[in-house]
Amino acid sequence: MTDREFYFTSESVTEGHPDKMCDQISDAILDAIVAREAELAAEGFVSPSGVAADPDYVRVACETLVTTGLVVVSGEIRTHAYVDIPSVVREVVEEIGYTRAKYGFDFETCGVVTTIHEQSPDIAQGVDESFEVQHGFDGDPIDLVGAGDQGMMFGYACTETTQLMPMPIYLAHRLAERLTAVRKANVLEYLRPDGKTQVTVKYVDGKPVGVEKILISTQHADGVDIEGLLKPDLIEHVIKPVFDLEGLEYSSAEVFINPTGRFVIGGPMGDTGLTGRKIIVDTYGGMGRHGGGAFSGKDCTKVDRSATYAARWVAKNVVAAGLAERCEIQLAYAIGVSHPLSVFVETFGTETIAVGAIENAIDEVFDLRPGAIIRDLDLRRPIYRKTAAYGHFGRADKDFTWERTDRAEALAEAAGLND
């Protein structure tokens, strides 16, 4: 019987892509609020209504839109802190690299409109005082925090890369990161902030065996020769370093560079951007399911974000423990309820022990109530802006606590793997 062959493709975008600009702005505002609320709490600040400053008090659901010459920030925010939102916006846009009008956007001259109001008390009440508290609270403080919304969240991990990520999205992210690094270091002075990458990987019998196609589309200065200059430069300074570092062969891959032939107009001038419109880029590149909720601009009580991080944490530890080569976790929550409604484990036939034993081990080792997730992953910190470009998963950064494999040994023991 011949092994099944198939091709799988994933894309990434640079931090100058208009949707990613919005994600970074929303998360920078979240970080500023979380940081300032913590400062006020340390100072012992109490509002005129008698409410003390406390990072637990913060609720942020911040959305951003960018278009030609304009940034619009809206959403629902609850905090004691004052944050100069226009200044945060301009700082993010400047750091991304939109510093001249000729690039299609300028941090100094763009308009910034803010329209912020407080979170609905109908939503806040279920998060501040969970269903469990209202119906027979047993005294566990973790039950005080109800889920910030209903919905289902997915986490995924596999053995295809050292970071236990699918190979197509992992490589696409690394190419996008490198493209930005080359631009910011002025290695290729004609590059501009907007860009996209895409990688197609060949699989045989479910395992990656080679990279088939590489696509990079990058904004550039007018007059650049695509075939004579841009393509060889990107192969030399972007593609080769990434693949060499990963120890992968790319010479047989078909390479596409700016296939339309011109990409001078980019960023918000080329396309309107919105927060939360790159959810597949943010996760696993389409390898594995997605619950539909975006991350950026949401504080950690929103399970769209925190529970998706937790699901990745669980899945990664299952794979790291040797319980499966591929693992997908689904979590489901009801708004205002602390305990998850369901936990589902899929190992795609790669499990090394019975799936039921893996499920029991997860239940023993992980507490998936929102309050426990926030505690165990230390999520009440200003760490979110850097998650908003190049993927929320598969990154070797100490602040990405959901990437730790710190419970792999406990999982293996609970599952009886070494018995």
Side-chain angles (χ1 to χ4, degrees):
M1 180 178 176
T2 303
D3 292 333
R4 183 191 171 215
E5 295 183 5
F6 65 88
Y7 300 87
F8 197 90
T9 301
S10 296
E11 73 161 352
S12 181
V13 298
T14 66
E15 60 198 58
H17 185 282
D19 292 332
K20 274 290 142 209
M21 290 177 64
C22 294
D23 287 342
Q24 291 168 92
I25 290 168
S26 293
D27 271 341
I29 292 168
L30 168 62
D31 280 351
I33 290 170
V34 169
R36 183 55 185 151
E37 184 80 22
E39 290 172 354
L40 290 174
E43 295 166 3
F45 175 85
V46 178
S47 72
S49 61
V51 180
D54 185 343
D56 291 356
Y57 179 77
V58 169
R59 299 288 182 270
V60 178
C62 180
E63 313 290 342
T64 304
L65 174 149
V66 296
T67 188
T68 304
L70 180 65
V71 180
V72 179
V73 179
S74 65
E76 301 80 47
I77 294 176
R78 187 181 77 177
T79 182
H80 296 96
Y82 169 75
V83 170
D84 185 349
I85 290 177
S87 292
V88 173
V89 169
R90 296 185 192 282
E91 178 183 343
V92 172
V93 175
E94 180 184 16
E95 290 181 4
I96 289 170
Y98 286 109
T99 56
R100 300 179 65 184
K102 66 184 295 185
Y103 298 165
F105 206 79
D106 177 21
F107 78 101
E108 291 184 302
T109 61
C110 67
V112 180
V113 175
T114 63
T115 170
I116 301 291
H117 58 275
E118 192 166 356
Q119 184 184 45
S120 163
D122 292 354
I123 296 174
Q125 66 180 352
V127 181
D128 295 338
E129 187 174 283
S130 71
F131 176 89
E132 285 85 347
V133 172
Q134 298 176 44
H135 297 81
F137 179 51
D138 64 6
D140 186 345
I142 293 299
D143 273 336
L144 290 171
V145 181
D149 203 351
Q150 72 174 54
M152 64 282 189
M153 300 83 205
F154 289 92
Y156 184 87
C158 62
T159 57
E160 294 179 16
T161 62
T162 56
Q163 294 297 321
L164 305 186
M165 286 288 285
M167 185 175 288
I169 186 65
Y170 181 77
L171 291 175
H173 282 323
R174 302 295 76 80
L175 289 170
E177 278 183 320
R178 179 68 184 176
L179 182 61
T180 295
V182 165
R183 171 179 62 84
K184 288 188 169 182
N186 288 322
V187 174
L188 304 177
E189 295 182 354
Y190 56 79
L191 294 180
R192 301 294 181 256
D194 198 356
K196 304 178 80 170
T197 63
Q198 189 167 287
V199 176
T200 300
V201 174
K202 180 180 179 180
Y203 287 77
V204 175
D205 199 25
K207 298 183 183 298
V209 297
V211 175
E212 293 293 309
K213 294 178 174 62
I214 300 168
L215 166 61
I216 300 178
S217 295
T218 180
Q219 185 184 11
H220 58 81
D222 200 2
V224 170
D225 181 351
I226 304 302
E227 289 297 320
L229 180 64
L230 183 61
K231 185 171 183 176
D233 275 355
L234 292 192
I235 290 174
E236 176 65 24
H237 296 288
V238 177
I239 296 174
K240 185 179 186 298
V242 166
F243 279 77
D244 285 352
L245 184 63
E246 298 298 327
L248 294 171
E249 179 59 49
Y250 69 92
S251 60
S252 61
E254 190 173 4
V255 176
F256 298 88
I257 302 296
N258 284 30
T260 62
R262 175 184 168 89
F263 188 178
V264 174
I265 299 173
M269 187 175 180
D271 191 12
T272 298
L274 293 168
T275 300
R277 205 158 60 174
K278 285 289 177 284
I279 58 176
I280 299 303
V281 171
D282 285 343
T283 51
Y284 308 102
M287 185 80 76
R289 287 169 283 197
H290 197 294
F295 306 146
S296 291
K298 296 178 181 178
D299 73 82
C300 58
T301 66
K302 277 70 170 177
V303 285
D304 277 345
R305 182 170 221 157
S306 55
T308 304
Y309 290 174
R312 162 65 176 173
W313 185 38
V314 174
K316 189 171 183 180
N317 276 271
V318 167
V319 173
L323 303 181
E325 291 184 9
R326 294 172 61 200
C327 181
E328 183 180 74
I329 304 292
Q330 186 206 53
L331 306 176
Y333 293 85
I335 188 169
V337 179
S338 176
H339 291 76
L341 300 185
S342 66
V343 179
F344 174 72
V345 180
E346 172 63 76
T347 54
F348 308 95
T350 68
E351 66 276 3
T352 57
I353 63 173
V355 176
I358 298 175
E359 292 171 338
N360 291 337
I362 290 170
D363 185 58
E364 180 179 333
V365 172
F366 291 94
D367 187 342
L368 295 170
R369 293 174 292 173
I373 293 170
I374 293 168
R375 176 199 65 201
D376 294 342
L377 296 181
D378 194 14
L379 296 180
R380 292 196 188 279
R381 295 177 295 143
I383 60 172
Y384 295 107
R385 182 187 162 187
K386 61 182 170 181
T387 70
Y390 314 116
H392 293 247
F393 308 117
R395 312 246 314 261
D397 185 304
K398 64 182 178 60
D399 287 329
F400 287 51
T401 51
W402 49 92
E403 290 296 308
R404 299 181 308 206
T405 53
D406 54 336
R407 300 203 177 178
E409 185 176 338
L411 265 181
E413 182 178 347
L417 185 64
N418 301 319
D419 290 349

